[in-house]
Amino acid sequence: MGKKIKKRIVLLCYLAFLAVWLLRGVFFFAWDRMQTPKTLPLEEGVAEGAAFTEDGIFLTEDGDPKLVFSSVNATVRRVVVHAEYEQEPGELDLYYARKEGQGFSPAKRVGARQVTPGIYEYTLPPGQATALRIDLGTVAGNRVAIREIQLNPQAGFGSYFPLTLGTVAALGLLPALASCLIYIIIDTLQLLRRRGGRHKGSAANGE
């Protein structure tokens, strides 16, 4: 395979991955704009492994405190929790159920991204959510002031194209790996073709 062809393959791979990344961001931007922002009433949440105090503080009683909303019944992709922790919370996860009566499982779990101190964002695959379970940390005896839980809050267009270290690494490495795989496939096909031609030539000479 010539060097010019290899360069073209590398360029096409990078352009293809960049196009997919841009189209993905545009798709999710349009999807989120079609959803209706909603605030989950805190009084509808059922605390497990924790309890609300009289002053509205969420007091964790063990290392696995949860807040369960069993009647969400809405299309949900983004959940933003405004909460202030007295101690470092530890691991923060959100579980979601797609059908009525469906239990929570690790297969339908997303981790939190801390936007700013006190604001935690969860991004779900697009779809209907019948129930949500927010795991608010892994520390017993922690005091958590939950201010608000938002579903599908509007975000700026630029936030759908995050240039994080992971994104930059993916856009830099994945096209290169894909082009290497294409090289291997093309070289293998060419080798098999040459071998097939030799076998045919040998058979013809033998006849």
Side-chain angles (χ1 to χ4, degrees), residues 69-191:
F69 295 88
S70 56
S71 300
V72 177
N73 299 320
T75 301
V76 180
R77 201 182 84 84
R78 294 176 63 241
V79 178
V80 176
V81 178
H82 298 253
E84 298 173 5
Y85 288 83
E86 187 176 69
Q87 306 175 51
E88 284 297 320
E91 185 177 359
L92 301 174
D93 292 321
L94 181 144
Y95 292 76
Y96 57 95
R98 293 297 194 196
K99 300 178 182 179
E100 291 289 345
Q102 185 181 63
F104 299 108
S105 73
K108 293 183 175 63
R109 176 183 63 181
V110 292
R113 180 179 75 89
Q114 186 172 353
V115 181
T116 59
I119 299 180
Y120 304 90
E121 181 183 74
Y122 303 86
T123 303
L124 285 64
Q128 184 80 4
T130 58
L132 296 174
R133 190 188 93 190
I134 302 173
D135 290 10
L136 292 171
T138 57
V139 180
N142 204 353
R143 293 172 60 85
V144 188
I146 303 174
R147 306 302 182 192
E148 190 177 37
I149 300 177
Q150 299 173 302
L151 304 184
N152 304 315
Q154 300 295 323
F157 185 71
S159 65
Y160 292 87
F161 307 93
L163 287 176
T164 62
L165 183 60
T167 301
V168 173
L171 290 175
L173 294 176
L174 291 180
L177 293 174
S179 60
C180 289
L181 180 60
I182 294 173
Y183 297 160
I184 294 172
I185 293 173
I186 293 175
D187 288 341
T188 301
L189 291 175
Q190 289 178 342
L191 180 60

Side-chain angles (χ1 to χ4, degrees), residues 38-60:
K38 177 182 177 182
T39 299
L40 276 181
L42 293 178
E43 62 272 14
E44 293 183 3
V46 176
E48 298 179 7
F52 280 108
T53 63
E54 292 182 358
D55 56 355
I57 298 297
F58 187 84
L59 180 63
T60 64

Side-chain angles (χ1 to χ4, degrees), residues 187-205:
D187 288 341
T188 301
L189 291 175
Q190 289 178 342
L191 180 60
L192 292 174
R193 187 178 299 172
R194 286 196 296 267
R195 287 183 177 176
R198 289 172 187 168
H199 289 315
K200 288 181 180 179
S202 300
N205 291 332

